Amino acid sequence: MKILIPVFLVILFCGRTVQAQTPEDLLNSWSDKSPVEKVYLHFDRDNYLAGETMWFKGYLYSDFYPDTISTTLYVELLNASSVIVSKKVLPVAFGNTKGQVELPDSLSTGHYFVRAYSPTMLNHAGEFLFSRRLHITGKNPGGSPVFSGKKTRIEFFPESGNFVSDMPNTIAFKVTDESGLPLHSVGIVRSERGDSITEFSSYHDGMGMFDINPSKGIKYYVQLKGDPSAVKYDLPAVSGIGLVFRLMPNPLGRYFEIYQRPDNPSFRAAYIIGQMQHRQVFRMELNPEKNDLIGLINTQKLNSGILHVTVFNKEGMPLAERLCFVDNKEYRQTAQLLTDTVNFSGRMKNHFTLSFPDTIGGSFSVAITDPDYAAESQRSENIISSLLLTSDLKGYVHNPIYYFSSDDDSVKNALDILMMIHGWRRFKWSELPGISKQALRYQDPGYITITGKVNIRDTRKPLSNKDLFLLIFPMEDSLNSSMQFMNTNEEGRFRLDSLVFFGKTRFFVSDMLGKKNKWLDLYPDSDSINTSFGLPSLDIKQYLNPAATIPDSISSRLAYDYAAILNAEGQMLGAVTLKVRKKSPVQELEERYASGLFSGLSEKTIDLVNTKEKITQNNIFDYIQGRVPGIKVQKNGFNYQLFYRQRFSLTGGAIPMILYLNEMQTDARLISTIPASQVSMIKIFSSFFGAEGNGTGGVLAIYTKQGADLNNSLSTSADIFMYKGYSITKEFYSPDYSVPVKTDSASQKDHRVTLHWQPDIYVDGGDTKVPVVFYNNDRSRRFKVIVEGMTSEGKMVFIEKIISPSPRPF
């Protein structure tokens, strides 16, 4: 129970110092500056083996629409000690992102936790971070908490936070065992004199409520029937001041009642404010002359979600609060999963269709798994229950998906009791004057921003107002090098923003004219996205309950699969002696770099990786000059032309060589900006079938260093710096058994649990049909399909379907 009276006094004092701003003004000011943002992750499944890959799709949500505020999402895998095992940094576009976590094969069996957030979400004290528990089967099973289940805990929650004497009060309660699991209970409310006041029983998942009109100065307690120890559970203390605020369901929204005393003007209701996601959605004036007030809050035009209703006095002091859930169904997007071709035989093709009958735009993801390896027979949480319900509540909510399972009154009543029990607020009204004025601690990085300073080599003099050339070399994707330009200001500083690149990346900076690249000293600033926020440890206790443990039958299957993987990895080939001719360094270099027509025989190949020569030339043309017989380098200002063996056209003019950089035809001016030390290989062709006119004047193919070659070269160069980009995302591998496979591959058992993962479903149009095609493994005889996603209008899709063989007719 929350004791509100001392808080009232503080709020009353603060309210008098900020009379110029009403509570709703402060709330809206804060919300405008720092809107509420949430994130939900759709995983391909709910448990994994160590060494497997965990796939996920992220959906960001703000103000009931896909989030357009955040550009970067952090996803962390933590162990039971809240130590980060793996961390991913991902770019966000149009409110969604995707990624994967490669689970180390050294992980021990146990519970692990995923936490996801953007930097701007941390401005709300980390209250809207996504977190979820997952089970991983690996080595050396660790010990799990052991609960006897004998201890019973009861919590009491007076509606609106006040338990006031001589007024009709509603008390919500929650009964759980020591692990936090709900218990069905029946009990009696008694006064301190032992008088029986009322009886009650839990309504849903250990939760319920009862009405009581307490007397001033009397204490009350509860005893559970069937409890041989007759433990007394005390109700909150009764207060002689305050008011009672009650909400009840109504077809148009919520019917309210307010009971208040005539002798205490400071605790008389003047108006009601409703807010959702920290934004005011209504204000209702009340008649201050009446002691008992009734009325209707019409919620039909509100967005669905948790409505936070607060009663204020005329001085802006909050007197009572209550949460309720608005469910207008506008958040649901219609979609259908059609099973066109279903085949449970091993390695056979299946074809489903995801159909959207409406005209929509949005992003969706599909996971198809083997349900016989799922920890839960049905999902207990989904995108709807997470973004609309549990993300706004603190503490453990048992099976939240139940509250969206039907429109029955029993479900609605259970949800209303849940709102009374979780009447927890993300902020205190008394804190708003300070919060609304505070500068935000965290800002969105706007994707990757690289800043720094360029000086003239070995001096403190900045390279001012200079256009510079930038070469970008991804360390793990040598085929995706790129080029762009940047400039410095008067102080020699540069700024590159809104960048998106992945993995460790090297940046080489040179003067655009190719003259002064060896005279540059670079001083890049700190990383803009790969940073540590020092977040507190997760509250692991709220996840540790027996209901979420994997059934023994599933656990045994997973342990068997993990043992099979270890045995397969441990198989060693017998002694085999192979006699092979060792390739030369140049042959190995050509295999790493050259492809297609470029891998053919050339007149000459120059290896600049394995050479012992110290290469100091400004560019590769300066290096070639005088070193390659038959090639003449002609410089005209800042441009270069190369001629091979002085070949002439029919008109008598010399034919220049055609130049290729990383197997792409390129202008000499661009190549001249690359220092010779960054070149790995040069190939010279007297003619080239792939070039214009068959390369009559000859072809020069230049390759820049990539991968390990680049990492090992010029690691201390002053004009090269390293930057770690976004985490590399991979494509889900799904075998195509329509293509014949090698004998060795065909003999290997296919025991994939995730049969299909399709995170990149983008829809824009009407009556859209998306094909979902996959091949079965060698053992699955049922399919579990989960579809989740969000439209550009903030509507959400959730489909869960188990596809099983049809029963045979008798």
Side-chain angles (χ1 to χ4, degrees):
M1 174 185 174
K2 296 187 183 295
I3 306 300
L4 298 180
I5 296 176
V7 176
F8 286 165
L9 299 178
V10 175
I11 297 174
L12 182 60
F13 172 79
C14 294
R16 289 173 178 171
T17 63
V18 290
Q19 291 179 359
Q21 287 187 292
T22 63
E24 57 267 39
D25 290 336
L26 294 169
L27 179 65
N28 291 333
S29 175
W30 179 32
S31 182
D32 289 340
K33 184 168 66 173
S34 181
V36 171
E37 298 174 84
K38 305 175 183 179
V39 59
Y40 170 78
L41 298 187
H42 174 196
F43 296 92
D44 61 315
R45 60 186 201 261
D46 57 12
N47 67 84
Y48 300 88
L49 299 179
E52 288 187 321
T53 299
M54 176 178 72
W55 304 91
F56 61 86
K57 173 79 172 281
Y59 296 93
L60 282 75
Y61 188 66
S62 181
D63 283 338
F64 307 101
Y65 284 92
D67 185 4
T68 58
I69 301 170
S70 293
T71 61
T72 300
L73 184 72
Y74 295 82
V75 179
E76 299 169 343
L77 176 69
L78 303 95
N79 62 20
S81 299
S82 212
V83 175
I84 296 177
V85 175
S86 178
K87 182 176 182 178
K88 299 293 180 177
V89 187
L90 302 166
V92 178
F94 305 107
N96 60 81
T97 187
K98 67 172 185 176
Q100 77 286 327
V101 176
E102 296 81 5
L103 302 175
D105 55 11
S106 59
L107 293 180
S108 299
T109 298
H111 298 306
Y112 293 79
F113 306 86
V114 176
R115 178 169 63 191
Y117 56 91
S118 71
T120 48
M121 292 178 187
L122 303 179
N123 289 319
H124 294 271
E127 298 295 355
F128 295 100
L129 275 60
F130 172 88
S131 61
R132 179 180 169 180
R133 189 183 81 164
L134 298 169
H135 187 274
I136 297 176
T137 300
K139 300 178 180 179
N140 305 321
S144 300
V146 178
F147 301 110
S148 65
K150 295 180 180 179
K151 294 182 180 179
T152 300
R153 180 184 181 186
I154 305 181
E155 298 173 90
F156 300 101
F157 306 88
E159 186 173 14
S160 74
N162 304 323
F163 190 26
V164 186
S165 63
D166 303 317
M167 291 185 183
N169 291 256
T170 298
I171 308 293
F173 65 87
K174 180 181 180 180
V175 185
T176 60
D177 62 18
E178 64 176 318
S179 67
L181 286 179
L183 294 175
H184 176 73
S185 301
V186 178
I188 302 174
V189 180
R190 299 183 184 276
S191 69
E192 59 186 353
R193 295 188 291 265
D195 300 330
S196 176
I197 305 301
T198 187
E199 295 188 1
F200 65 86
S201 64
S202 54
Y203 184 83
H204 173 76
D205 277 348
M207 302 180 298
M209 61 182 180
F210 56 84
D211 291 331
I212 181 174
N213 194 324
S215 299
K216 186 176 181 179
I218 302 298
K219 296 180 180 180
Y220 298 86
Y221 63 90
V222 161
Q223 287 182 309
L224 298 180
K225 292 186 177 181
D227 180 7
S229 58
V231 176
K232 296 180 180 180
Y233 302 92
D234 292 332
L235 265 65
V238 178
S239 174
I241 59 175
L243 58 76
V244 171
F245 176 50
R246 307 172 76 180
L247 287 180
M248 289 147 284
N250 182 280
L252 299 179
R254 287 294 186 275
Y255 177 81
F256 71 85
E257 296 176 343
I258 296 177
Y259 299 95
Q260 53 191 348
R261 302 182 187 280
D263 56 351
N264 196 331
S266 296
F267 289 88
R268 292 189 66 81
Y271 60 93
I272 300 174
I273 286 179
Q275 61 100 350
M276 305 181 78
Q277 306 303 304
H278 293 180
R279 292 191 184 276
Q280 178 189 336
V281 294
F282 76 84
R283 173 177 171 137
M284 181 183 295
E285 302 295 332
L286 302 174
N287 187 344
E289 304 300 325
K290 291 186 177 181
N291 293 331
D292 298 336
L293 302 171
I294 59 174
L296 176 68
I297 301 173
N298 193 320
T299 63
Q300 291 179 307
K301 295 183 179 180
L302 297 180
N303 290 300
S304 296
I306 293 179
L307 174 64
H308 187 147
V309 185
T310 307
V311 180
F312 291 87
N313 68 4
K314 62 181 181 180
E315 295 179 337
M317 180 177 78
L319 304 178
E321 294 178 318
R322 171 76 145 85
L323 302 185
C324 65
F325 193 85
V326 177
D327 193 355
N328 289 325
K329 301 292 189 296
E330 87 292 346
Y331 56 86
R332 293 185 180 270
Q333 173 59 51
T334 302
Q336 289 182 308
L337 181 70
L338 308 176
T339 53
D340 309 311
T341 302
V342 180
N343 196 327
F344 294 102
S345 300
R347 306 193 179 192
M348 297 305 293
K349 185 177 182 179
N350 291 265
H351 188 289
F352 301 163
T353 299
L354 182 58
S355 175
F356 298 91
D358 303 326
T359 299
I360 63 167
S363 177
F364 307 90
S365 46
V366 176
I368 303 177
T369 59
D370 186 339
D372 292 332
Y373 285 80
E376 298 177 315
S377 58
Q378 288 185 320
R379 291 273 295 274
S380 60
E381 180 87 285
N382 64 18
I383 187 172
I384 297 172
S385 63
S386 176
L387 294 179
L388 295 186
L389 182 65
T390 56
S391 58
D392 280 319
L393 302 176
K394 189 173 184 179
Y396 173 70
V397 178
H398 187 69
N399 195 28
I401 203 171
Y402 165 79
Y403 301 104
F404 299 87
S405 60
S406 77
D407 291 328
D408 293 345
D409 288 341
S410 58
V411 176
K412 294 179 181 179
N413 292 336
L415 180 55
D416 202 47
I417 295 173
L418 181 73
M419 293 295 97
M420 285 192 280
I421 288 173
H422 286 271
W424 177 81
R425 48 190 177 178
R426 298 285 181 181
F427 63 92
K428 295 179 181 179
W429 289 97
S430 61
E431 298 173 349
L432 274 183
I435 293 175
S436 60
K437 296 178 182 178
Q438 290 177 358
L440 297 180
R441 182 177 179 183
Y442 301 100
Q443 302 288 340
D444 182 76
Y447 298 111
I448 299 174
T449 299
I450 299 178
T451 59
K453 186 177 181 181
V454 182
N455 284 353
I456 297 175
R457 176 69 58 85
D458 298 330
T459 73
R460 295 185 179 182
K461 184 178 180 180
L463 189 67
S464 304
N465 300 318
K466 196 71 174 177
D467 292 328
L468 299 175
F469 179 73
L470 183 70
L471 280 175
I472 304 174
F473 299 97
M475 299 295 291
E476 300 183 45
D477 188 359
S478 60
L479 298 180
N480 271 335
S481 58
S482 61
M483 312 166 192
Q484 69 178 72
F485 301 99
M486 69 179 192
N487 54 71
T488 62
N489 63 12
E490 188 67 30
E491 291 77 32
R493 294 197 60 79
F494 65 89
R495 177 184 176 89
L496 299 166
D497 56 22
S498 304
L499 300 176
V500 176
F501 56 88
F502 297 86
K504 292 182 179 179
T505 302
R506 281 200 170 191
F507 294 82
F508 166 72
V509 180
S510 73
D511 187 286
M512 278 187 60
L513 304 182
K515 295 174 60 180
K516 297 184 178 179
N517 56 63
K518 67 177 182 178
W519 303 114
L520 303 184
D521 282 335
L522 288 176
Y523 301 96
D525 295 332
S526 59
D527 199 320
S528 68
I529 62 168
N530 291 285
T531 183
S532 177
F533 297 99
L535 300 182
S537 299
L538 284 174
D539 182 10
I540 304 298
K541 293 181 180 179
Q542 67 174 307
Y543 300 95
L544 299 179
N545 65 76
T549 57
I550 294 183
D552 291 340
S553 58
I554 305 298
S555 182
S556 298
R557 293 173 192 164
L558 293 171
Y560 177 84
D561 277 7
Y562 183 70
I565 292 174
L566 293 182
N567 290 336
E569 291 177 347
Q571 290 178 355
M572 300 296 292
L573 293 174
V576 177
T577 302
L578 298 177
K579 294 183 179 180
V580 295
R581 180 176 296 176
K582 185 178 180 181
K583 296 177 182 177
S584 69
V586 173
Q587 289 176 319
E588 293 179 347
L589 190 67
E590 290 218 28
E591 285 187 359
R592 292 204 303 273
Y593 286 93
S595 63
L597 294 174
F598 291 92
S599 61
L601 293 176
S602 58
E603 294 292 317
K604 186 175 182 62
T605 299
I606 301 175
D607 179 357
L608 297 181
V609 171
N610 300 297
T611 181
K612 295 181 180 180
E613 178 184 6
K614 187 175 182 180
I615 301 173
T616 59
Q617 287 75 15
N618 284 345
N619 59 54
I620 198 62
F621 300 138
D622 291 344
Y623 176 84
I624 290 175
Q625 181 75 45
R627 277 184 169 79
V628 181
I631 292 184
K632 179 182 179 181
V633 180
Q634 180 177 309
K635 186 176 181 182
N636 183 14
F638 301 111
N639 198 13
Y640 289 81
Q641 279 190 316
L642 281 73
F643 300 92
Y644 187 52
R645 295 177 179 172
Q646 291 296 306
R647 296 184 178 183
F648 294 88
S649 66
L650 295 176
T651 60
I655 304 175
M657 299 183 77
I658 297 176
L659 307 179
Y660 285 85
L661 178 64
N662 295 332
E663 301 184 353
M664 294 182 64
Q665 189 170 339
T666 309
D667 183 79
R669 184 184 177 95
L670 184 60
I671 296 176
S672 68
T673 64
I674 303 173
S677 61
Q678 293 299 297
V679 175
S680 62
M681 182 174 67
I682 303 170
K683 296 195 72 174
I684 302 162
F685 299 88
S686 60
S687 63
F688 191 71
F689 179 74
E692 182 180 354
N694 291 332
T696 305
V699 167
L700 184 73
I702 299 168
Y703 295 83
T704 56
K705 291 179 179 178
Q706 312 287 353
D709 296 334
L710 179 60
N711 193 39
N712 294 332
S713 69
L714 294 177
S715 59
T716 60
S717 176
D719 47 15
I720 295 179
F721 64 92
M722 177 81 74
Y723 201 98
K724 187 177 181 181
Y726 287 110
S727 302
I728 295 174
T729 57
K730 299 180 179 179
E731 295 298 322
F732 177 81
Y733 170 72
S734 184
D736 182 357
Y737 286 125
S738 65
V739 179
V741 296
K742 297 180 180 179
T743 305
D744 292 342
S745 300
S747 63
Q748 295 177 354
K749 291 293 184 181
D750 181 355
H751 286 170
R752 291 170 295 130
V753 176
T754 299
L755 302 172
H756 187 68
W757 170 246
Q758 193 170 343
D760 291 328
I761 298 177
Y762 297 101
V763 174
D764 187 11
D767 194 22
T768 304
K769 300 185 185 302
V770 180
V772 179
V773 181
F774 68 98
Y775 287 83
N776 192 17
N777 58 24
D778 289 327
R779 66 183 180 187
S780 294
R781 296 299 175 261
R782 296 190 301 156
F783 303 140
K784 182 175 184 176
V785 184
I786 299 290
V787 181
E788 295 191 283
M790 185 184 303
T791 72
S792 57
E793 298 298 318
K795 294 185 177 182
M796 288 172 268
V797 167
F798 174 72
I799 299 174
E800 180 175 21
K801 194 170 185 178
I802 301 291
I803 301 172
S804 303
S806 301
R808 295 180 179 179
F810 292 99

